[in-house]
Amino acid sequence: MDILKQLELHEQNLLTIIVYRLETTLQNDCNDSWLDKQSSVVRTYQEQLSVEQNKNATIEDEQQQLRDTIQLSNEQLEKVQHTLQEALTNNEQLEYTISDLNSQNNLLETKLFETMSLVDLRNKTLIDYEQEMERIKAELIQKHKEVVDKQSHIDELEQIVIDKTGEVAQLSETLETGLVKSHHREKFAEDNATKALHDIKVLQRELRHVSKALAEREQTNATLNEQLQQLTNEFKLKQEEFQKTQKALNKQLSIKQEQLVRYDQNLHDIEIKSKYAKEECSIQEKEIVRLNNVQEEQENPEPVSFHTYYSIVIAKDFDPPSSKDEDAPRKTFRNFDDTTLSILTSPNSYGTHVEVQVDDVVFVGHTLSLENNTNLKSFAAIAKPSVILSYQEMSKRIGTAIRCEEQRANYLNEEYAKLLAVLQQYDIDAADPLNRKNEEGKAKETIEKLYVTMVQQSPLAATLKQIYTDLQASGEINIIINNWLNVSCCLPHRSIALNCPLAIDFAFKVLSNSEQYLKPYYGLLLVIDPSALLNSLPADASSTLTTLVRHLRSSYSMSRLSIETGVPLSQIYSLASHLLYWGRAKIMYPINDENIYIISPDADISKQGSLSKLYRETFQNTSNYPTLQEALAEYSDAVTFYDHLVRNDNESELQGRFQCVEWLLRHRLLTQLHYYYYLLLPNDDRNDFTNEYKLTRLPRTRTPLRRNQYSSDAVGVASKSERFSLTSENIDIRENILSINGFEYNMASSPMTNPLSYSSIHNSRSTDTLKTMTGTSHDDVFVPGSVNSSVVTGRGSRQVLHYLPHITQALPNESTEYHRRLAFAIKDAKEQQVTDFLRIIKYLDGTYHLEEIASLENMTRLQVSTIIEKFQTIVIRALHCDPNPILQI
Amino acid sequence: MTDGSLPALYAIQYSEFDIRKGAYVYYETAKTNFSEERQFNWIRNFVCPEPNLKDKLIVLTIDNQKLLGCPVIISDGEKYRNNRNEFRFNACFIVPAQADALKYEVAVRKLATYLRTLEIDSCFLTNDILKQEYLKPALDKIVKQMNENGQQCSVKMYSSVFVNLKLLEQQTEPPAIASSDVPMFCNNIDLSDLEQMDQMTQRVIASIDGLRHVNKIAQDTDTELALVKAAMQNLVYHNVIRLVPIFSYKNRYIVTPKIQKLYTDVSLQKELVFFVVRNGAKDCATFYECFSMICAFDHGSLVKDVVNKMKANNIDEKKLVQYCVLNDYLRRVRDYRISLDESVYINTNNLHSNGTSDGNDPSKSKIKKTLRDLCDGTNDSDSLACLGYIFNSRLIPTARKSTQQSLPPLDSYITLWK
């Protein structure tokens, strides 16, 4: 529309413009030529007008077109309006559905509220429960604390009890020692009394004997007087006879003088013979030194200082050593002539031991030089090396003594001269043609006679003979050479007991170095009567030895003896070894009520045995059993000596029993047993041979299979530990509480030895795992190291780490793995117990017995055994005798 | 007895007697204490001595060496006309002083005899060429072989003469075998050795299992008892078997100090653990179990008590006990019944007369008498059992008190455990 208006306006404008122009042009045409011009202009104007009309027409067309388009758009608008209306209706429908949904929504919301309230209720109850749980937990902790308190209280009580028992033990020990002391005093007094009584009896008896003898003497005196008178009568008669015979003899004398002249003629011949004899003499003289040595073998009917092994064997039967002439070595020896002997005994160098063996005879000697004179002692023996050594020692002593005497008083030369004289006499006798005619058998007798005279003439020969007989009889000599020098020595192998189980050589070695085998807690037991021993001592014997013997009691240890006598222990040792060497004493553990005695395995218990007889003689009139066998029957079971004593409370019987035990010990019929301790961990892998065993026992083909199984075992182990870790994660909710609990439990349970006691309190799974862990150390079944080490690093590592340095200090030679296992094994015990245990742990290798440990650590037997009892699982106790060889001699 | 590093034989010294020089050393394989002039002057008289010492073993000791010789004198007026009608020589062994001279005696004597025979047959020792060519290397070889083989040698001396020498270890006489002894092998025996043994031994050796005693073996193999005993004695001598007491669950044992060695020696522990495994057991027992079981024998406990107490399933107690006894870890505590009849002490003949007068049944009284005689402390229950007397274990009389001794029962016995 607007466009149409614009078009109309535009046409009007154009018309006005044209009109104006036309007017203007008309004005202009009014002049001379204007008309033409006007006409052209009118034509142009007309043309323009047509153009304008054309234009107007196009605009009208355009106008028309625009109207069409308007029409069109109007139509379109209508269409749009229509669609709008449709949309509106749709919209309405949607609104309806929305409202529906809204209502549904409301419903839902109400339901939601309901559920919310329910949830709230639940939550409330949950919280209640939790609170209740908290309360229960608190209660539990409270109870646990109470239990711990009670436990500690119990421990205190236990400690008190232990202390009390210790006190009681100490008291009882002091009581016992007091009792024993009083026993001893009484015993001593009684001994003295009985001795005195005995002495009185003996004196009375002697008195009676003396008076009897006196009366007899008087009687004999009277008879002698009578005889004297008879004899004087006879004498007178004889004198008369004598005078008669004298006359007859005078006659015979004249006849003899005639014979003498004839003998003078023969004298020259005899002188020649005697020269010959002198030559022989000089030969004999050369051999005299050697004969001196050998004479002891030949000088008596049972010659030869053969200490053959046989004679030792014979001596073992308590029989006097009998010499058998048919012994092979004796024969050999007798077959040697003088020349051979002189070769055999000629020394090669001085100051050394000489040992020459021919077949089965050994010459043993020691050479000493002496102013170009040699002195060689020789013995013939078949014996072991040690015996030879002791013979050598003895021969050296005798030789030295003789040399001293030679230097002091020219002893040897004198004796030499004496013997030479005897031998010369013998040679002269032998050279005598009258004697030569004697039979061969008589020659032997004369030799024997010669030796007898030699012994009579020469003290040296007598001494040598004495040495020989003493050695044969007892194995020891105690002689005085030239009434001046005392020589005493013994063959120790003869003082070794007959039923000694040791080899002679070894026993000799022990005897020679006995001081290093002695221990301060050993005691001494005299084998012979003390008074007899004191009497047998030489005059210049050490006074300490006398003191020692006087103070000796079988219940005293050597350290105690040292205190009682004031003699240093080292001196006691040397005296004891001296007594032992001489077979006068025996080393043993002091007799104590706690001792355990059994019958010694090599004891002679037969009824016909010599000891059986000896027993009956010794204990004939005492309260003891009448037979040895019955006395020994008491010791058939390994029970403490105390248990035997209990049966008799009578003092005298007790005394008798004590004597009986001493007697039995002296004769080596009893052996003492001791407790030895061996520290042994059940899970020590050094002596675990399971793997090796499996490898050796299974056939080759199956080995890989087994290995598989083995690896699966390892897997099983691993999974087990994993399970442990999983369980600990499972109880993660209460992680904090539990860890605190666990810690407390750690502290609380450490004094408890029994894992079961606390398992009832804590029922959680963690305690179960702990129980299995602690159980491993008590279990007999071997536990693989991996599990164990993981355990160590886990719980209980505190104690383990705490004890480790102590253990390392106590057992420096063991591996650290062993230390760790040990620490793990003992960690459950009380601190104090472990400290005590570690103190004595170094003794638990089976080389120390209970008494020794007690003595070394200055504790009582009870204390030691109490400490060890706590660790029964790792300390094995064994009962056997002391292997120290000195106790068996 | 070669003590560790010491050789068996230092040297052999061959010496002769020469009318001009006297005794002199012709050859020695090595220098010794006895080779020096000064020393030899002294021993000269022993090496080639007077006739009274010929063929005797002579032993001399100087410092740490020992000379063993057996002087030989061959008298022959024809052959040794220029040499005082005799020829003296001696081949001496020089050995360490610690060695046992008796061990060498046989070898020394044998060598002397060889040389003597060679000399008589072929003038081996008087012919210088032969001596030079054969004797010296032969002696060298003997010493070398002796030291290498330890105990024996076999050397070609001359032409076809071989010298075989062996040192004999001194063995103690084997003990008499009792019927109640149980033989047990010391080591694993080599079956090839078995073939060399005599028939008797082969027959018997199969029955040795560590449990059967000699009497039983004789019965099982149907052999005479004395022969079995002889075979066993032989085996003991050769160190193949050792004798242990019979195993019984009623036995008592006691630990010996030797277990200390077991405690320290791991190889012994291993041997023990492997040995004592029960047949059919899957696993071997631990040493801890074995050791605590051994230590449980305390003189008083019977084997059955120990077994009940320990309850070790993998340990065969028979094997354990016998093994420990074999190796001296345990000692059997034997029981000796002793009759308390006083008449035994006074007069055994008296007892006999009493027995016959009292006993109505002569055979019964005879048994009683003999039993009473046997129970004198020399026979333990094992030997009595082998003789046919078995005691009821419940009738063990305890030691009676002194008050009761006035009236001893007629047939009362006490038991001593030792």
Side-chain angles (χ1 to χ4, degrees):
Chain A
M1 306 281 260
D2 291 330
I3 299 166
L4 289 173
K5 280 171 186 171
Q6 277 178 349
L7 281 171
E8 283 173 35
L9 278 173
H10 191 66
E11 274 179 56
Q12 284 169 350
N13 284 344
L14 278 171
L15 282 170
T16 53
I17 293 166
I18 296 164
V19 167
Y20 173 76
R21 287 213 169 169
L22 279 167
E23 285 174 354
T24 53
T25 44
L26 276 162
Q27 280 173 352
N28 290 342
D29 283 72
C30 293
N31 291 40
D32 298 78
S33 56
W34 70 269
L35 222 63
D36 278 354
K37 277 178 187 181
Q38 264 312 170
S39 61
S40 63
V41 171
V42 167
R43 270 184 300 242
T44 53
Y45 279 118
Q46 273 171 342
E47 277 171 5
Q48 271 179 352
L49 196 56
S50 66
V51 169
E52 281 294 322
Q53 276 170 342
N54 282 345
K55 273 182 185 179
N56 219 0
T58 53
I59 285 166
E60 274 178 353
D61 281 347
E62 276 177 8
Q63 218 169 353
Q64 192 65 40
Q65 277 175 357
L66 281 170
R67 274 172 201 148
D68 286 348
T69 50
I70 286 166
Q71 190 73 33
L72 259 170
S73 59
N74 275 336
E75 279 172 10
Q76 277 174 349
L77 202 66
E78 270 173 28
K79 275 178 189 174
V80 168
Q81 272 180 350
H82 193 71
T83 50
L84 194 67
Q85 229 148 13
E86 277 177 3
L88 274 174
T89 51
N90 278 339
N91 209 1
E92 274 174 19
Q93 279 172 356
L94 281 170
E95 271 178 4
Y96 278 121
T97 50
I98 283 165
S99 62
D100 277 354
L101 284 170
N102 272 342
S103 63
Q104 280 175 0
N105 208 3
N106 281 344
L107 259 171
L108 280 170
E109 269 184 2
T110 50
K111 279 180 185 173
L112 197 69
F113 278 120
E114 280 172 14
T115 46
M116 287 285 268
S117 59
L118 270 171
V119 164
D120 277 358
L121 269 169
R122 294 270 165 88
N123 276 346
K124 271 178 192 170
T125 48
L126 202 67
I127 289 160
D128 285 353
Y129 280 135
E130 270 186 359
Q131 280 172 350
E132 224 173 316
M133 268 168 153
E134 294 272 348
R135 195 165 44 77
I136 288 163
K137 246 178 260 164
E139 275 175 16
L140 277 177
I141 290 161
Q142 189 62 33
K143 277 180 186 171
H144 182 247
K145 274 178 188 168
E146 278 172 21
V147 166
V148 167
D149 287 350
K150 278 176 188 170
Q151 188 62 37
S152 59
H153 190 62
I154 286 164
D155 286 333
E156 277 172 17
L157 285 173
E158 265 182 6
Q159 195 56 44
I160 290 164
V161 167
I162 288 163
D163 291 349
K164 293 275 164 155
T165 47
E167 281 174 18
V168 167
Q170 278 180 346
L171 282 172
S172 61
E173 277 208 11
T174 47
L175 195 69
E176 276 167 13
T177 46
L179 268 174
V180 172
K181 266 189 197 171
S182 63
H183 284 333
H184 283 308
R185 257 176 245 135
E186 279 160 31
K187 182 191 165 191
F188 202 58
E190 262 186 46
D191 274 351
N192 283 342
T194 47
K195 268 179 204 165
L197 266 173
H198 189 69
D199 285 353
I200 288 165
K201 275 181 192 168
V202 168
L203 281 172
Q204 279 174 347
R205 221 178 293 151
E206 277 176 0
L207 206 65
R208 249 176 276 142
H209 281 299
V210 167
S211 55
K212 272 184 196 170
L214 213 65
E216 281 171 40
R217 283 282 161 82
E218 276 173 20
Q219 282 181 352
T220 45
N221 256 355
T223 50
L224 279 172
N225 277 338
E226 282 171 24
Q227 283 176 352
L228 199 68
Q229 271 187 336
Q230 282 179 359
L231 283 171
T232 45
N233 292 339
E234 282 175 33
F235 181 65
K236 278 172 192 169
L237 287 170
K238 293 275 166 154
Q239 266 184 336
E240 286 170 11
E241 279 179 36
F242 176 70
Q243 279 168 354
K244 283 176 195 170
T245 46
Q246 208 175 16
K247 283 171 192 170
L249 280 171
N250 277 338
K251 283 178 195 169
Q252 284 182 344
L253 189 69
S254 58
I255 302 162
K256 290 278 172 179
Q257 273 173 344
E258 286 173 14
Q259 286 180 340
L260 196 68
V261 179
R262 265 184 282 154
Y263 275 120
D264 273 337
Q265 290 172 348
N266 290 334
L267 194 66
H268 186 67
D269 298 346
I270 290 167
E271 270 180 357
I272 295 164
K273 281 181 187 171
S274 73
K275 267 186 193 170
Y276 187 73
K278 270 181 188 169
E279 277 181 15
E280 280 188 350
C281 268
S282 61
I283 297 168
Q284 293 281 352
E285 277 168 15
K286 284 177 192 165
E287 293 169 9
I288 269 181
V289 177
R290 178 234 332 137
L291 276 171
N292 267 350
N293 310 323
V294 178
Q295 65 184 311
E296 45 185 306
E297 287 95 359
Q298 297 184 344
E299 68 198 356
N300 51 32
E302 293 180 343
V304 190
S305 62
F306 280 139
H307 268 281
T308 63
Y309 194 59
Y310 301 102
S311 66
I312 296 163
V313 171
I314 292 157
K316 284 194 172 186
D317 295 324
F318 277 128
D319 293 327
S322 63
S323 53
K324 291 176 187 167
D325 276 340
E326 298 312 311
D327 284 351
R330 196 176 297 272
K331 260 186 189 167
T332 325
F333 185 79
R334 283 206 156 164
N335 289 336
F336 293 156
D337 58 15
D338 295 345
T339 338
T340 322
L341 285 175
S342 72
I343 292 172
L344 288 174
T345 53
S346 64
N348 67 321
S349 58
Y350 300 116
T352 54
H353 290 314
V354 177
E355 186 190 334
V356 177
Q357 182 185 351
V358 176
D359 271 3
D360 35 15
V361 179
V362 184
F363 292 85
V364 182
H366 190 89
T367 54
L368 292 167
S369 70
L370 176 71
E371 299 160 8
N372 299 327
N373 250 338
T374 64
N375 174 30
L376 171 83
K377 288 290 303 168
S378 77
F379 296 88
I382 288 293
K384 304 214 165 183
S386 65
V387 184
I388 290 172
L389 204 70
S390 49
Y391 272 116
Q392 272 174 345
E393 183 59 30
M394 180 180 287
S395 112
K396 186 180 174 183
R397 279 188 190 207
I398 296 168
T400 317
I402 291 176
R403 185 171 66 173
C404 276
E405 279 305 287
E406 166 71 15
Q407 279 162 354
R408 191 180 69 86
N410 220 12
Y411 177 63
L412 193 62
N413 273 343
E414 280 173 24
E415 295 300 315
Y416 185 77
K418 280 183 200 167
L419 288 171
L420 207 62
V422 175
L423 279 173
Q424 273 173 346
Q425 185 61 44
Y426 162 72
D427 285 338
I428 290 165
D429 286 351
D432 201 324
L434 289 170
N435 281 353
R436 280 203 176 162
K437 285 171 192 167
N438 280 345
E439 294 160 33
E440 292 263 319
K442 281 196 177 177
K444 207 177 172 184
E445 278 177 30
T446 48
I447 291 171
E448 280 169 14
K449 221 183 270 171
L450 168 72
Y451 282 119
V452 172
T453 41
M454 271 164 69
V455 168
Q456 283 166 353
Q457 295 283 316
S458 156
L460 176 64
T463 315
L464 292 179
K465 188 185 172 182
Q466 185 64 37
I467 291 172
Y468 166 64
T469 44
D470 280 357
L471 278 181
Q472 205 170 42
S474 62
E476 50 186 64
I477 54 170
N478 194 357
I479 49 153
I480 299 170
I481 289 174
N482 199 17
N483 285 323
W484 185 264
L485 268 183
N486 193 350
V487 175
S488 55
C489 47
C490 73
L491 301 173
H493 61 275
R494 293 290 293 271
S495 59
I496 294 168
L498 313 170
N499 50 6
C500 174
L502 302 174
I504 285 184
D505 278 358
F506 182 62
F508 175 76
K509 214 176 105 193
V510 172
L511 270 184
S512 327
N513 315 303
S514 50
E515 278 177 56
Q516 49 186 270
Y517 291 93
L518 289 177
K519 304 267 169 71
Y521 52 85
Y522 284 156
L524 265 178
L525 178 69
L526 285 182
V527 173
I528 61 166
D529 196 47
S531 53
L533 173 62
L534 288 175
N535 287 335
S536 72
L537 291 176
D540 58 346
S542 155
S543 62
T544 8
L545 183 61
T546 329
T547 326
L548 178 71
V549 171
R550 282 189 208 287
H551 281 84
L552 211 54
R553 301 281 181 281
S554 54
S555 55
Y556 283 6
S557 65
M558 280 197 267
S559 54
R560 183 155 176 207
L561 271 175
S562 164
I563 294 163
E564 297 264 336
T565 56
V567 178
L569 194 61
S570 56
Q571 210 172 341
I572 298 258
Y573 275 8
S574 53
L575 288 173
S577 53
H578 183 68
L579 285 173
L580 195 67
Y581 190 87
W582 279 77
R584 297 289 190 266
K586 188 178 163 13
I587 303 290
M588 47 143 219
Y589 191 79
I591 296 177
N592 188 305
D593 289 347
E594 306 278 322
N595 288 0
I596 303 168
Y597 294 110
I598 57 161
I599 305 170
S600 128
D602 36 17
D604 174 25
I605 56 167
S606 68
K607 281 181 174 178
Q608 284 83 21
S610 50
L611 281 175
S612 211
K613 287 186 193 112
L614 199 63
Y615 180 89
R616 265 183 297 133
E617 284 160 17
T618 319
F619 296 101
Q620 218 157 23
N621 298 316
T622 58
S623 57
N624 284 304
Y625 294 111
T627 63
L628 173 67
Q629 284 70 32
E630 282 167 284
L632 282 175
E634 290 236 340
Y635 305 98
S636 263
D637 300 305
V639 290
T640 52
F641 187 50
Y642 179 76
D643 290 341
H644 302 301
L645 285 174
V646 160
R647 295 188 206 156
N648 308 43
D649 38 7
N650 189 344
E651 272 304 311
S652 66
E653 282 189 25
L654 205 69
Q655 194 74 30
R657 185 171 292 271
F658 224 77
Q659 277 175 357
C660 182
V661 171
E662 278 185 18
W663 192 89
L664 292 173
L665 282 171
R666 202 172 283 153
H667 290 91
R668 293 147 228 265
L669 291 168
L670 294 184
T671 311
Q672 193 181 350
L673 295 183
H674 297 276
Y675 282 114
Y676 288 81
Y677 297 95
Y678 293 90
L679 180 68
L680 194 63
L681 299 182
N683 55 357
D684 190 358
D685 57 352
R686 284 175 308 173
N687 46 34
D688 171 53
F689 311 109
T690 346
N691 303 357
E692 260 180 276
Y693 176 76
K694 279 175 181 164
L695 289 176
T696 51
R697 283 302 155 103
L698 286 168
R700 283 254 169 231
T701 48
R702 287 186 61 189
T703 321
L705 188 140
R706 178 58 67 167
R707 207 177 285 145
N708 284 342
Q709 193 178 336
Y710 221 57
S711 59
S712 73
D713 273 1
V715 167
V717 167
S719 65
K720 206 175 174 185
S721 58
E722 271 174 25
R723 201 163 63 226
F724 291 162
S725 60
L726 279 177
T727 49
S728 61
E729 274 172 28
N730 275 351
I731 43 173
D732 215 16
I733 324 158
R734 301 188 281 179
E735 187 181 33
N736 292 326
I737 305 164
L738 248 188
S739 64
I740 292 164
N741 254 355
F743 182 67
E744 270 184 311
Y745 152 80
N746 252 352
M747 299 307 285
S749 66
S750 57
M752 293 183 199
T753 44
N754 189 2
L756 286 171
S757 60
Y758 53 73
S759 64
S760 53
I761 304 169
H762 289 271
N763 226 356
S764 70
R765 296 200 63 173
S766 64
T767 45
D768 280 350
T769 56
L770 285 173
K771 208 175 90 187
T772 52
M773 283 164 174
T774 47
T776 54
S777 66
H778 297 283
D779 208 340
D780 281 347
V781 183
F782 175 74
V783 182
S786 57
V787 171
N788 214 358
S789 53
S790 71
V791 166
V792 172
T793 49
R795 196 207 87 77
S797 57
R798 258 178 80 102
Q799 279 86 350
V800 170
L801 289 174
H802 177 60
Y803 293 142
L804 257 178
H806 298 286
I807 294 168
T808 320
Q809 201 185 349
L811 302 168
N813 296 329
E814 301 289 350
S815 65
T816 36
E817 174 68 19
Y818 184 79
H819 288 152
R820 228 151 39 73
R821 285 172 197 273
L822 181 62
F824 189 74
I826 61 171
K827 69 173 169 43
D828 286 333
K830 274 190 206 163
E831 185 93 29
Q832 182 57 38
Q833 286 169 355
V834 171
T835 319
D836 288 339
F837 183 68
L838 290 177
R839 204 170 124 202
I840 60 166
I841 202 166
K842 56 179 177 287
Y843 303 118
L844 305 181
D845 60 349
T847 48
Y848 299 87
H849 54 71
L850 174 60
E851 288 80 11
E852 188 166 10
I853 297 169
S855 132
L856 286 170
E857 285 295 323
N858 210 4
M859 293 193 262
T860 61
R861 294 192 206 200
L862 187 72
Q863 280 175 314
V864 177
S865 49
T866 331
I867 292 167
I868 290 171
E869 222 164 82
K870 299 279 178 197
F871 299 91
Q872 269 177 349
T873 45
I874 55 166
V875 179
I876 298 176
R877 188 176 75 164
L879 187 65
H880 59 75
C881 55
D882 194 337
N884 195 338
I886 201 153
L887 298 173
Q888 294 169 16
I889 288 169
Chain B
M1 234 203 258
T2 44
D3 292 328
S5 57
L6 287 177
L9 186 61
Y10 283 135
I12 295 178
Q13 187 186 59
Y14 172 79
S15 38
E16 290 180 356
F17 188 81
D18 184 271
I19 45 167
R20 285 174 298 277
K21 290 192 273 183
Y24 72 102
V25 178
Y26 177 79
Y27 179 68
E28 56 187 348
T29 56
K31 285 278 169 199
T32 61
N33 283 357
F34 299 92
S35 353
E36 288 166 40
E37 192 61 31
R38 200 173 60 85
Q39 299 283 14
F40 189 75
N41 276 340
W42 175 58
I43 64 163
R44 185 186 290 265
N45 286 331
F46 298 100
V47 171
C48 289
E50 294 301 308
N52 47 27
L53 280 183
K54 79 169 186 185
D55 297 337
K56 290 199 189 311
L57 180 77
I58 292 178
V59 183
L60 290 170
T61 310
I62 294 180
D63 296 338
N64 55 357
Q65 291 187 353
K66 207 181 239 181
L67 176 137
L68 294 104
C70 182
V72 177
I73 300 174
I74 305 168
S75 303
D76 192 332
E78 279 291 302
K79 206 167 167 183
Y80 309 115
R81 208 180 311 130
N82 301 328
N83 205 1
R84 293 185 190 165
N85 294 339
E86 59 181 19
F87 177 69
R88 297 179 182 182
F89 72 91
N90 194 353
C92 298
F93 280 35
I94 288 140
V95 302
Q98 296 90 333
D100 181 13
L102 292 173
K103 191 169 104 174
Y104 297 90
E105 182 179 349
V106 178
V108 171
R109 281 185 189 276
K110 198 172 178 186
L111 182 62
T113 326
Y114 269 119
L115 292 175
R116 183 198 175 96
T117 320
L118 277 172
E119 167 61 23
I120 289 171
D121 292 348
S122 48
C123 296
F124 183 66
L125 299 174
T126 40
N127 185 337
D128 274 342
I129 301 162
L130 283 179
K131 213 157 46 170
Q132 192 73 28
E133 198 174 329
Y134 293 105
L135 182 67
K136 287 184 177 182
L139 291 181
D140 283 333
K141 258 190 228 165
I142 290 175
V143 174
K144 199 172 161 234
Q145 284 196 13
M146 277 282 195
N147 286 330
E148 277 170 7
N149 300 357
Q151 302 294 324
Q152 50 195 328
C153 71
S154 175
V155 173
K156 185 180 177 186
M157 184 73 96
Y158 171 61
S159 66
S160 59
V161 178
F162 275 88
V163 176
N164 300 302
L165 300 176
K166 186 173 164 72
L167 306 183
L168 293 176
E169 283 292 342
Q170 284 293 112
Q171 291 263 14
T172 48
E173 277 291 297
I177 311 289
S179 309
S180 55
D181 285 333
V182 176
M184 216 174 157
F185 291 115
C186 305
N187 306 306
N188 290 333
I189 56 160
D190 193 356
L191 282 176
S192 58
D193 290 346
L194 198 65
E195 287 166 11
Q196 294 175 1
M197 293 172 181
D198 60 292
Q199 290 286 310
M200 188 64 228
T201 313
Q202 288 190 27
R203 191 162 160 186
V204 163
I205 210 163
S207 317
I208 295 176
D209 59 355
L211 293 172
R212 277 189 266 190
H213 53 93
V214 173
N215 213 353
K216 179 119 172 70
I217 289 173
Q219 282 171 16
D220 289 355
T221 54
D222 196 17
T223 330
E224 203 174 312
L225 183 62
L227 292 176
V228 178
K229 282 186 182 176
M232 291 301 166
Q233 200 165 19
N234 195 27
L235 288 173
V236 170
Y237 182 81
H238 290 293
N239 216 11
V240 178
I241 60 167
R242 232 176 286 164
L243 299 173
V244 294
I246 301 178
F247 176 84
S248 152
Y249 282 96
K250 282 190 287 183
N251 282 357
R252 301 190 193 185
Y253 294 89
I254 185 162
V255 182
T256 69
K258 246 190 128 182
I259 52 158
Q260 216 276 324
K261 213 179 153 199
L262 176 69
Y263 176 72
T264 46
D265 192 336
V266 178
S267 61
L268 289 177
Q269 294 171 3
K270 190 169 139 191
E271 195 182 303
L272 168 81
V273 167
F274 280 19
F275 188 88
V276 301
V277 178
R278 188 185 291 281
N279 275 347
K282 279 178 189 164
D283 240 342
C284 70
T286 60
F287 174 67
Y288 180 83
E289 282 177 287
C290 297
F291 194 75
S292 40
M293 188 154 173
I294 294 169
C295 288
F297 288 104
D298 59 352
H299 191 281
S301 307
L302 308 183
V303 176
K304 60 179 175 193
D305 297 343
V306 173
V307 172
N308 288 339
K309 189 177 146 199
M310 297 308 293
K311 296 190 180 66
N313 291 326
N314 288 339
I315 300 177
D316 189 337
E317 58 274 0
K318 286 182 192 167
K319 284 184 183 174
L320 179 84
V321 167
Q322 296 298 77
Y323 178 85
C324 288
V325 173
L326 185 76
N327 287 292
D328 273 352
Y329 303 136
L330 288 178
R331 174 172 71 76
R332 168 92 189 272
V333 181
R334 292 177 182 274
D335 53 331
Y336 291 81
R337 317 273 164 157
I338 291 167
S339 69
L340 282 179
D341 200 324
E342 297 293 324
S343 56
V344 177
Y345 291 112
I346 301 153
N347 193 353
T348 41
N349 296 330
N350 193 15
L351 172 81
H352 282 276
S353 61
N354 281 346
T356 43
S357 62
D358 292 346
N360 297 327
D361 187 0
S363 64
K364 197 182 169 188
S365 70
K366 198 182 172 186
I367 288 172
K368 272 188 180 175
K369 257 186 306 174
T370 43
L371 182 57
R372 203 179 293 159
D373 288 346
L374 285 169
C375 292
D376 63 345
T378 50
N379 296 302
D380 67 342
S381 59
D382 281 356
S383 49
L384 286 178
C386 277
L387 292 167
Y389 302 110
I390 295 165
F391 275 86
N392 189 341
S393 62
R394 277 169 294 184
L395 288 179
I396 297 170
T398 49
R400 295 166 308 127
K401 288 184 184 172
S402 49
T403 47
Q404 297 172 332
Q405 278 165 7
S406 51
L407 280 171
L410 194 68
D411 275 324
S412 60
Y413 296 92
I414 55 170
T415 313
L416 294 187
W417 294 89
K418 75 166 191 180

